[in-house]
Amino acid sequence: MEFTRKNRQLLSRIATNDRHGENSPYFDGWKAYDSNPFHPIHNPDGVIQMGLAENPLCFDLIEKWIRENPDASICTAEGLDKFKDIAIFQDYHGLREFREAVAKFMGRVGGNRVTFDPNRIVMSGGATGANETAIFCLADPGDAFLVPSPYYAGFARDLRWRTGVEIVPVHCKSSNNFRITRAALEEAYEKAQRSNINIKGVIITNPSNPLGTVLDKETLRSLVSFVTDKKIHLVSDEIYAATVFSSPRFISVAEVMQDMDCNRDLIHIVYSLSKDMGFPGFRVGIVYSFNDDVTNCARKMSSFGLVSSQTQFLLASMLSDDEFVGNFLRESSKRLAKRHHVFTKGLEEVGISTIKSNAGLFFWMDMRPLLKEQTTKAETELWRVIINKVKLNVSPGSSFLCSEPGWFRVCFANMDDKTVEVALDRIREFVLQGKEENNHEADKSQARAQRWRKQNLRLSFSSSRLYDESLMSPHMISPHSPIPHSPLVRART
Amino acid sequence: MVAMSKIATGNGHGENSPYFDGWKAYETNPFHPTERPEGVIQMGLAENQLCFNLIKNWLIKHPEASLCTPQGVNKFKETALFQDYHGMPEFRQAVAKFMGKVRGDRVKFDPDRIVMSGGATGAHEMVAFCLADPGDAFLVPTPYYPGFDRDLKWRTGVELVPVNCESCNNFKITRNALEAAYVKVQEANLRVKGLLITNPSNPLGTVLDRDTLKSMVRFINDKNIHLIGDEIYAATVFMEPEFVSISEIIEEEDVECNRDLIHIVYSLSKDMGFPGFRVGIVYSYNDSVVSCARKMSSFGLVSSQTQHLIASMLSDDEFVDNFITESKKLLFNRHKYFTWSLSQVGIGCLKGNAGLFIWMNLRKLLKEETFAAEMELWRVITNEVKLNVSPGSSFHCQEPGWFRVCFANMDDYTMKVALLRIRTFMLKNNEAMVPLKLCRPSSLKLSLSRSLSRRMDDFMSPGIMSPHSPLPQSPLVRART
């Protein structure tokens, strides 16, 4: 958006800078989708949305529960007598039943290995609001947080925009499956110190967006001891906790804390029902801190983004139904597992590998073999081809600040089975087409491909060696382009 | 202690204030007609509880407005997934239409300028983030809603500078007062970014007249600063004079104004009585502000479940017209009865025609014209009369002795109990007071008339009048002020 000079003087710096993250080239993908959305009948050649991490697979279960529980609503004949009390309820502590139900749900999602205290449940405007609130409580403008990459593109806005806080990425590599190592954290921390950047904490997302993997106990313990040593905070964004569909199981930071020597005042969890339940529209964000002062402060700040009491009431009822919750969690995992399997198998058949994942609503697809060169520029080029020719809106790795070009996040849960088939067909066609075109390049690029293979050990389903040679271009592999500043950020990233 | 932010460890949330005692007194001993008849009656909560029967009747007739009824459940999934920060089009259209109706359809609102926020609380903070940098200042006429100190300043780093208004001219906002405040800010080397007005006023319960509004618009236009009009009490205007919105003033022929400076904050918390639903609205005439605020709204969108309900309810023209009319009637009646009863025992109020409260004049009950005396009287009212009212100093009022008393958040019985307690208290005190003329209900006294000030002299203690105590720093701020 162009600002006239006068307008720039009229508005704040926050209003006129780019830290909302939306002036980014990645918008093109969304635009392509918005102007030409796929529909099986009305627009079968349209762009299929695979950039939206949504979980709509279990609404049949939810709708059934709604029909069977009319007293969960303040608008039904059964619930109407509660309407007034709920409509006037604006206490920022939140409805007690809501907090209890959410605490219980969080406990179940963690396999009941941890009990969450309802009095530590603080509301916020979705996870978006929760992350911002946590930063407002913990850091001053100019302070920074370490964030392992690749990470959710929305962090650039949520953690930085209005808070004035900075993100220092801790780049993780595919060579060890993007593991967050103590060494990498230490290095990033030292480097920041040398540059006079005041690190206030670490933000992790577990399960990971965009990787779809969970952190193991060892890594979690290492993170907790790292922050304890450095006396900095650890914010664990666990909004995908219930999307774990196969082993290894989800381990919350709350669980590892239980048998560790650590400073609990440094540990905070961000939670939400947007991914686990599929309710992004309901704006249910939760800040759960083990630090009393942070809990109190976040609670006061929650006035800026409380959960609608109408929604609190509904969810209090739904999430306290143990039978429903148990069944929902089981079914959700099952359906996610199935969908994930269909996709990864389909991709495997055409030699596309993905990071081995067991959670999330997406997979992290390795398209490096298809890059003209190992650069962000080439990744962007490939991305444009995927959007405009293959007609799939996927998210390029650079929008997640991934330090290696060629990775793409592909959402698999936000569509019906038929659309899945269409998407897979399109991918198959694209890959096979690419193979044909590049066959004659095979000999020239063999040596290069070998070198590339050595550098890139990865856990994959298939051997992509099949077409490495055929697809590598004869060009020089240029050094990585600088990572673009503003990743794609939308309310619905 | 572990290091937290300056924002977190400071007092900007406004809750470390002595006024919390009133809330605590209520919370530990809340009035209940049968279970706790001696408890504290809550009169510090500006809520509109008078029209819920109308709403319930409508809900019974419109099950499709809910996502949870058999008639509405087919919309559940798409609504639960809807997180577009533009908001549901039906919601924006319904809110725009409602805002127009509340202004007698004298002005039309554009649904594309409707931006959501986390209640009016979130709306104010969002506007401050869009318009001002840390250290910039907004002018705010006193007395004003205590929550502004948190909403506009806490996380934004923006300053609020009071524009002093006095009871001698009914707290009118004069051009002189605005200019004086503006100069004062400049002398302190701060940058004034805007003027924030609340119309209808909280806590005064009055509306701004056309001339004052025009004068303010000219003022901000001259200075090239923003005008933010908090109009969340717009539909609570229950008698003449009519509510005039900024949106109308800028359309007037004799008003020249840069529309990029004009912004309205709205909400359904007061007009509809839905504070729990967190429906805040930022309506700006500046395209860049709309765009920026919309991006920021991600931090406090309205629950799509609630958008769906409100869209349905507020697009029912017949219901809305009836609701607005009935609400005004009930508020008028409640207000009339209240103020008349008070006048019967010699308590005057600022002549008000809007809001959910009255601005009560207890200056003659003060031992001395100081804020310390006001606090003392307030503690007596809380602990002995057992009413939680809000002392004027919590609204940054420059004159001690005023109290805001909410009247719409209780049923008829509780109101009568409250009035009886006031009556008892006043009669006890009246033994030392000069007998008062009984006022007719239709001619409620204005605050400072000459006869009243003479009476005040009679009640002033013979002691030396101490200079005004410094204004307490942190007024009462709660989610439900």
Side-chain angles (χ1 to χ4, degrees):
Chain A
M1 166 151 271
E2 289 234 353
F3 292 103
T4 60
R5 215 161 56 103
K6 197 172 180 206
N7 222 2
R8 209 181 274 280
Q9 287 161 7
L10 274 185
L11 306 186
S12 64
R13 284 192 291 271
I14 285 176
T16 49
N17 69 26
D18 264 354
R19 286 164 73 101
H20 50 70
E22 292 191 29
N23 286 352
S24 116
Y26 305 112
F27 247 85
D28 297 347
W30 292 98
K31 286 180 199 153
Y33 170 75
D34 282 337
S35 55
N36 185 20
F38 171 82
H39 187 278
I41 302 163
H42 303 306
N43 194 16
D45 290 324
V47 176
I48 298 178
Q49 177 62 281
M50 302 189 85
L52 206 45
E54 272 178 2
N55 185 5
L57 299 179
C58 287
F59 274 97
D60 56 325
L61 298 176
I62 291 164
E63 280 161 24
K64 178 164 179 281
W65 187 91
I66 297 274
R67 282 182 215 272
E68 289 166 6
N69 293 274
D71 53 351
S73 164
I74 51 177
C75 301
T76 54
E78 293 83 348
L80 205 51
D81 59 331
K82 295 257 167 37
F83 188 92
K84 176 177 162 178
D85 286 341
I86 298 298
I88 63 179
F89 184 85
Q90 55 173 326
D91 183 349
Y92 61 24
H93 289 83
L95 282 175
R96 190 183 40 87
E97 309 78 45
F98 170 75
R99 285 183 285 112
E100 282 166 2
V102 170
K104 194 159 68 153
F105 186 75
M106 286 171 72
R108 286 194 79 160
V109 164
N112 281 329
R113 286 177 182 81
V114 182
T115 310
F116 288 92
D117 177 2
N119 294 324
R120 291 193 179 282
I121 300 280
V122 172
M123 298 178 284
S124 61
T128 301
N131 278 309
E132 191 193 48
T133 295
I135 300 300
F136 266 128
C137 289
L138 304 178
D140 296 322
D143 287 342
F145 273 80
L146 298 177
V147 188
S149 80
Y151 61 78
Y152 166 54
F155 280 162
R157 170 196 61 196
D158 302 347
L159 306 175
R160 301 182 328 148
W161 190 20
R162 307 191 307 180
T163 61
V165 166
E166 298 301 332
I167 293 177
V168 172
V170 180
H171 292 300
C172 302
K173 308 246 167 11
S174 62
S175 49
N176 66 346
N177 291 320
F178 298 98
R179 202 188 168 86
I180 307 166
T181 63
R182 179 80 183 230
L185 288 167
E186 293 280 2
E187 194 195 317
Y189 184 84
E190 300 302 322
K191 189 160 163 218
Q193 298 286 89
R194 283 197 301 273
S195 316
N196 270 326
I197 296 173
N198 187 23
I199 300 290
K200 283 313 277 289
V202 182
I203 313 259
I204 57 171
T205 309
N206 175 34
S208 162
N209 173 16
L211 302 175
T213 53
V214 295
L215 293 179
D216 56 63
K217 213 172 220 178
E218 201 189 308
T219 304
L220 282 165
R221 289 174 72 94
S222 161
L223 281 158
V224 172
S225 75
F226 174 74
V227 299
T228 302
D229 286 348
K230 303 281 187 270
K231 295 189 179 54
I232 61 178
H233 295 277
L234 178 62
V235 178
S236 179
D237 181 333
E238 301 188 344
I239 68 174
Y240 289 97
T243 67
V244 175
F245 51 78
S246 65
S247 67
R249 66 173 180 86
F250 167 67
I251 303 172
S252 167
V253 69
E255 191 186 324
V256 300
M257 277 168 70
Q258 282 175 153
D259 34 40
M260 257 190 95
D261 215 356
C262 69
N263 184 351
R264 297 168 69 89
D265 278 346
L266 298 171
I267 315 291
H268 325 277
I269 294 175
V270 160
Y271 190 60
S272 160
L273 298 181
S274 301
K275 311 297 178 182
D276 285 355
M277 293 295 296
F279 294 161
F282 291 173
R283 314 313 301 150
V284 183
I286 303 290
V287 176
Y288 188 98
S289 174
F290 290 90
N291 180 322
D292 291 347
D293 292 329
V294 173
T295 301
N296 287 331
C297 181
R299 193 183 286 126
K300 292 177 174 68
M301 288 186 179
S302 66
S303 297
F304 299 111
L306 295 170
V307 176
S308 168
S309 53
Q310 177 189 21
T311 303
Q312 288 185 51
F313 186 79
L314 170 66
L315 295 171
S317 193
M318 196 186 283
L319 299 185
S320 52
D321 183 338
D322 289 335
E323 202 187 316
F324 165 77
V325 167
N327 186 43
F328 178 91
L329 292 175
R330 270 188 306 272
E331 268 308 303
S332 180
S333 289
K334 226 191 270 180
R335 296 179 192 185
L336 285 170
K338 185 162 169 231
R339 184 56 76 81
H340 180 266
H341 179 73
V342 164
F343 254 111
T344 47
K345 194 149 186 296
L347 292 175
E348 190 186 317
E349 283 163 8
V350 288
I352 293 185
S353 67
T354 62
I355 264 271
K356 186 166 147 100
S357 65
N358 66 318
L361 309 171
F362 32 69
F363 47 80
W364 191 234
M365 187 167 72
D366 186 0
M367 300 287 263
R368 290 177 299 169
L370 287 122
L371 290 187
K372 287 214 179 88
E373 44 187 34
Q374 293 299 302
T375 63
T376 309
K377 187 159 175 273
E379 178 189 279
T380 308
E381 230 178 271
L382 174 58
W383 177 63
R384 287 198 205 284
V385 167
I386 298 176
I387 294 183
N388 298 318
K389 299 230 171 76
V390 193
K391 301 249 179 68
L392 303 174
N393 181 31
V394 299
S395 311
S398 46
S399 67
F400 298 90
L401 276 285
C402 185
S403 57
E404 301 172 13
W407 294 92
F408 288 80
R409 188 193 77 169
V410 183
C411 299
F412 61 74
N414 64 311
M415 59 191 73
D416 59 32
D417 290 331
K418 292 231 162 63
T419 312
V420 171
E421 286 306 320
V422 177
L424 280 171
D425 281 341
R426 290 184 186 181
I427 295 173
R428 276 188 207 108
E429 204 182 300
F430 171 66
V431 171
L432 296 172
Q433 213 175 45
K435 259 192 197 173
E436 275 172 31
E437 281 169 12
N438 286 295
N439 250 333
H440 69 283
E441 299 285 355
D443 299 322
K444 283 187 185 174
S445 56
Q446 180 134 3
R448 192 152 290 123
Q450 261 184 344
R451 203 163 62 230
W452 181 85
R453 266 204 314 277
K454 280 202 180 112
Q455 290 169 13
N456 292 279
L457 299 167
R458 62 191 179 282
L459 256 187
S460 62
F461 280 45
S462 68
S463 90
S464 48
R465 249 169 248 146
L466 238 149
Y467 59 86
D468 282 352
E469 295 96 336
S470 49
L471 291 174
M472 277 309 193
S473 85
H475 306 196
M476 288 284 285
I477 295 181
S478 52
H480 292 191
S481 313
I483 291 176
H485 295 290
S486 6
L488 172 63
V489 174
R490 278 287 290 273
R492 49 184 203 216
T493 298
Chain B
M1 203 189 74
V2 150
M4 287 164 59
S5 65
K6 293 196 182 81
I7 285 174
T9 47
N11 270 332
H13 49 71
E15 293 191 28
N16 286 351
S17 115
Y19 306 111
F20 246 87
D21 298 345
W23 292 98
K24 285 180 197 148
Y26 169 74
E27 262 153 30
T28 47
N29 185 21
F31 172 81
H32 186 277
T34 47
E35 287 166 30
R36 230 174 292 105
E38 302 303 315
V40 176
I41 297 178
Q42 178 61 279
M43 304 189 85
L45 208 42
E47 273 174 9
N48 185 358
Q49 294 190 20
L50 305 180
C51 285
F52 276 99
N53 283 334
L54 290 178
I55 291 165
K56 278 162 87 167
N57 286 337
W58 185 90
L59 287 167
I60 291 171
K61 295 199 199 109
H62 293 85
E64 75 285 358
S66 163
L67 300 176
C68 301
T69 55
Q71 296 85 342
V73 74
N74 60 325
K75 289 255 157 56
F76 190 94
K77 175 175 168 179
E78 72 187 66
T79 306
L81 291 171
F82 185 87
Q83 56 172 325
D84 183 348
Y85 61 25
H86 289 83
M88 292 166 63
E90 315 82 57
F91 170 76
R92 283 183 286 111
Q93 281 153 15
V95 170
K97 195 159 67 150
F98 183 73
M99 286 171 73
K101 276 185 183 290
V102 164
R103 289 152 185 77
D105 282 322
R106 292 182 295 276
V107 75
K108 251 186 112 163
F109 288 89
D110 176 1
D112 291 336
R113 291 191 178 281
I114 300 279
V115 174
M116 298 179 286
S117 61
T121 302
H124 279 293
E125 189 193 48
M126 202 152 82
V127 170
F129 268 126
C130 286
L131 303 182
D133 294 326
D136 287 342
F138 283 107
L139 302 177
V140 194
T142 66
Y144 65 80
Y145 165 57
F148 283 162
D149 290 321
R150 169 196 60 195
D151 302 347
L152 286 138
K153 298 185 356 169
W154 189 22
R155 307 193 303 182
T156 62
V158 163
E159 294 297 333
L160 288 185
V161 174
V163 177
N164 292 332
C165 301
E166 291 164 353
S167 61
C168 55
N169 64 350
N170 294 320
F171 299 95
K172 196 178 170 85
I173 306 166
T174 64
R175 178 80 186 228
N176 283 341
L178 290 170
E179 294 280 2
Y182 186 85
V183 164
K184 204 164 130 201
V185 177
Q186 301 229 295
E187 281 168 2
N189 263 326
L190 295 178
R191 197 167 60 152
V192 181
K193 279 318 277 289
L195 168 64
L196 167 63
I197 59 171
T198 308
N199 177 35
S201 163
N202 173 16
L204 302 177
T206 53
V207 295
L208 293 175
D209 59 81
R210 221 167 260 271
D211 287 337
T212 304
L213 283 163
K214 285 188 191 179
S215 156
M216 282 191 294
V217 171
R218 289 193 190 104
F219 171 75
I220 57 109
N221 202 53
D222 287 347
K223 304 278 189 270
N224 198 34
I225 61 176
H226 295 278
L227 178 61
I228 304 152
D230 180 335
E231 301 190 342
I232 68 175
Y233 290 97
T236 67
V237 179
F238 49 79
M239 68 185 198
E240 297 276 292
E242 198 179 53
F243 172 62
V244 179
S245 163
I246 300 175
S247 54
E248 294 171 58
I249 293 295
I250 60 176
E251 304 285 354
E252 301 245 340
E253 271 172 28
D254 58 337
V255 174
E256 211 186 274
C257 167
N258 176 4
R259 282 173 178 231
D260 278 346
L261 300 171
I262 310 290
H263 324 275
I264 293 176
V265 162
Y266 190 58
S267 159
L268 298 181
S269 301
K270 311 297 178 183
D271 284 354
M272 294 294 297
F274 295 161
F277 292 172
R278 315 313 300 151
V279 183
I281 303 291
V282 172
Y283 189 97
S284 174
Y285 290 86
N286 180 323
D287 292 347
S288 306
V289 173
V290 170
S291 177
C292 180
R294 196 183 281 129
K295 293 177 175 68
M296 285 188 182
S297 67
S298 296
F299 297 110
L301 295 170
V302 176
S303 168
S304 54
Q305 177 188 21
T306 302
Q307 288 186 52
H308 184 263
L309 170 66
I310 298 297
S312 195
M313 199 183 281
L314 298 189
S315 51
D316 184 338
D317 289 337
E318 203 186 315
F319 165 76
V320 167
D321 290 339
N322 186 46
F323 178 91
I324 292 175
T325 311
E326 275 307 301
S327 178
K328 283 186 213 248
K329 225 190 270 179
L330 292 168
L331 285 169
F332 173 81
N333 288 338
R334 186 55 80 83
H335 178 267
K336 189 166 100 168
Y337 187 80
F338 222 88
T339 49
W340 177 80
S341 306
L342 291 176
S343 69
Q344 290 296 292
V345 290
I347 296 180
C349 310
L350 184 70
K351 185 168 155 140
N353 67 321
L356 309 171
F357 33 70
I358 52 168
W359 190 234
M360 187 167 69
N361 182 0
L362 294 184
R363 301 169 76 175
K364 65 182 172 231
L365 293 178
L366 291 185
K367 285 212 179 87
E368 43 187 34
E369 217 177 291
T370 64
F371 289 103
E374 181 187 278
M375 287 296 280
E376 222 181 284
L377 175 57
W378 177 64
R379 284 193 212 287
V380 166
I381 298 174
T382 304
N383 299 322
E384 288 173 27
V385 191
K386 301 249 181 63
L387 304 174
N388 182 31
V389 299
S390 311
S393 46
S394 67
F395 297 88
H396 296 274
C397 187
Q398 301 295 302
E399 307 167 9
W402 294 91
F403 289 80
R404 189 193 77 170
V405 184
C406 299
F407 60 73
N409 64 310
M410 59 190 72
D411 57 32
D412 285 337
Y413 177 76
T414 309
M415 181 189 63
K416 294 203 168 90
V417 173
L419 287 168
L420 186 59
R421 290 183 186 182
I422 295 174
R423 186 185 172 78
T424 311
F425 173 72
M426 286 303 286
L427 290 175
K428 227 169 47 188
N429 280 285
N430 268 356
E431 280 154 20
M433 277 161 60
V434 171
L436 301 167
K437 272 198 296 231
L438 283 176
C439 306
R440 278 171 312 163
S442 55
S443 62
L444 299 170
K445 282 260 182 281
L446 293 176
S447 48
L448 267 185
S449 63
R450 290 198 61 180
S451 55
L452 199 55
S453 51
R454 229 181 296 129
R455 243 174 261 135
M456 232 172 70
D457 292 339
D458 292 339
F459 301 121
M460 281 302 177
S461 82
I464 313 270
M465 259 209 281
S466 52
H468 293 191
S469 312
L471 267 177
Q473 271 141 348
S474 3
L476 173 64
V477 173
R478 277 287 290 273
R480 49 185 201 214
T481 300

